[in-house]
Amino acid sequence: MTHRREEHLWIPESDLDGMSIDTLAVRAGQIRTGQLEHSDPIFPTSSFVYGSAAQAAARFGGDEPGNIYSRFTNPTVQAFEGRIAAMEGGERAVATASGMAAILSTCIALLKAGDHVVCSRGVFGTTNVLFQKYLARFGVETSFVSLTDMEEWRGAIRDNTRMLFLETPSNPLCEVADLAALSDLARAADALLVVDNCFCTPVLQRPLSQGADVVIHSATKYLDGQGRCVGGVAVGSAKLMEEVYGFLRSAGPTMSPFNAWVFLKGLETLPIRMRAHCDNALELAQWLEQQDAVEEVFYAGLSHHPQHELAARQQDGFGGVLSFRVRGGREQAWSLIDATRMISITANLGDVKTTITHPATTTHGRLSDDDKARAGITENLVRLSVGIESVEDLKQDLARGLAALAAGA
Ligand SMILES: *Cc1c(COP(=O)(O)O)cnc(C)c1O
């Protein structure tokens, strides 16, 4: 009797070539041990042993591949890296302790004092702080531009610009950047295009295929999707990732094996979760538009959204985050939020549970009034990260507060 796949205990990478993202999410990257476990194993060990002093020397010297120490080699973390790299279509991924650690590691590894960064204005608040406060101290200057204004991007480029950094779609107004155009601009300037792909995940958008050099994730959000662990990852060419890996090895903002295992499990259901998030978000966006108490809805899936066509071309779905302005100001926005009973009041996003937040006083509270105005973060703006509950139950939870607002309460 012959055994199937006698030579290899896991699926060789070449077999995965050309497979759909649904398959990669479940199958790519698994490292199966001699125990022939079906589910991915966890390796909660800080160090690894060697068969001899000579082998230890060969591993440390880089002459022999193999595990050394979990700050930079852990099989569970490597399995997660292999899977997300396959899903993003990148040569290599480097997993980190958080999304911010992925951004920091990428910047420190690929920039130096005297370099200049152009960054979209609407990025995650902490990313803003990282560029403006900390990287600036080490001689990396950042200019901020409108995500969707190509002229502003072009005008901000200097001789020493080495990186363009952005998130698309933006948080919370769901503006969409033209990745192919920005990639052309980056290439002409001899700069790297770095895309934080948190909102879309590789299921809805693969920036590397549109010309980006590095993709960043906060794995904390959709990749886990169930609010359990903090983690991050950078994906790109083997050459760029070797630099990021070198920094990680030296500085240590490493992903723990337990978290990597949770993210591996999260990735298995990512494609079906993302489709459920998208379906619910589109239906809620259309429903919100019909409500008297709602002034304006921001979601790229709506046909009147300014970048609807671009999003339809560039993405395989419009995502799970939307925002809307209620009639009134902070008081009305807060009363709507407080009238929900099931939806979680939290600034987190990308969870199977729907979350509601008031950006002006939470996620974007640190912005100056000028910056808020420029970013469209008004007091009557509410953001929803739409989960996978029944959309009818979500409507019901929002309807109570909306009815009160419409009645002028
Ligand atoms: C949350 C988030 C981050 C930071 O990720 P952490 O895992 O919290 O460090 C970066 N970018 C975006 C778009 C985010 O939503």
Side-chain angles (χ1 to χ4, degrees), residues 254-266:
T254 307
M255 178 179 283
S256 87
F258 177 78
N259 287 8
W261 181 80
V262 172
F263 294 132
L264 271 168
K265 290 283 133 192

Side-chain angles (χ1 to χ4, degrees), residues 96-103 122-127 165-171 196-199 216-221 229-233 263 347-350 383:
T96 55
S98 66
M100 291 318 303
I103 299 174
V123 290
F124 187 65
T126 315
T127 305
F165 187 101
L166 62 110
E167 286 165 26
T168 179
S170 70
N171 178 15
D196 182 333
N197 200 24
C198 173
F199 273 52
I216 301 277
H217 278 287
S218 167
T220 319
K221 313 294 169 48
C229 288
V230 173
V233 65
F263 294 132
N348 197 20
L349 63 91
R383 188 194 74 193

Side-chain angles (χ1 to χ4, degrees), residues 284-285 287-288 291 293-294 322 324 335-337 339-343 354-356 382-384 386 391-405:
L284 264 191
W287 177 81
L288 281 164
Q291 307 304 309
V294 173
L322 63 86
F324 57 98
S335 76
L336 172 73
I337 292 169
T340 58
R341 290 190 201 150
M342 174 178 75
I343 296 175
T354 300
T355 65
I356 192 165
V382 174
R383 188 194 74 193
L384 282 175
V386 182
V391 73
E392 296 307 322
D393 293 335
L394 293 173
K395 287 179 192 168
Q396 202 172 8
D397 204 28
L398 290 163
R400 207 173 311 109
L402 288 170
L405 288 189

Side-chain angles (χ1 to χ4, degrees), residues 102-140:
I103 299 174
L104 175 71
S105 302
T106 300
C107 289
I108 301 263
L110 302 177
L111 296 170
K112 61 181 187 317
D115 285 351
H116 174 247
V117 175
V118 185
C119 180
S120 63
R121 217 170 263 127
V123 290
F124 187 65
T126 315
T127 305
N128 233 302
V129 175
L130 183 69
F131 281 117
Q132 270 186 338
K133 181 170 176 189
Y134 295 101
L135 289 172
R137 276 191 203 160
F138 293 89
V140 173

Side-chain angles (χ1 to χ4, degrees), residues 235-252:
V235 192
S237 67
K239 184 162 170 269
L240 291 177
M241 288 306 109
E242 184 60 25
E243 296 297 320
V244 177
Y245 177 72
F247 173 73
L248 189 93
R249 179 174 180 158
S250 307

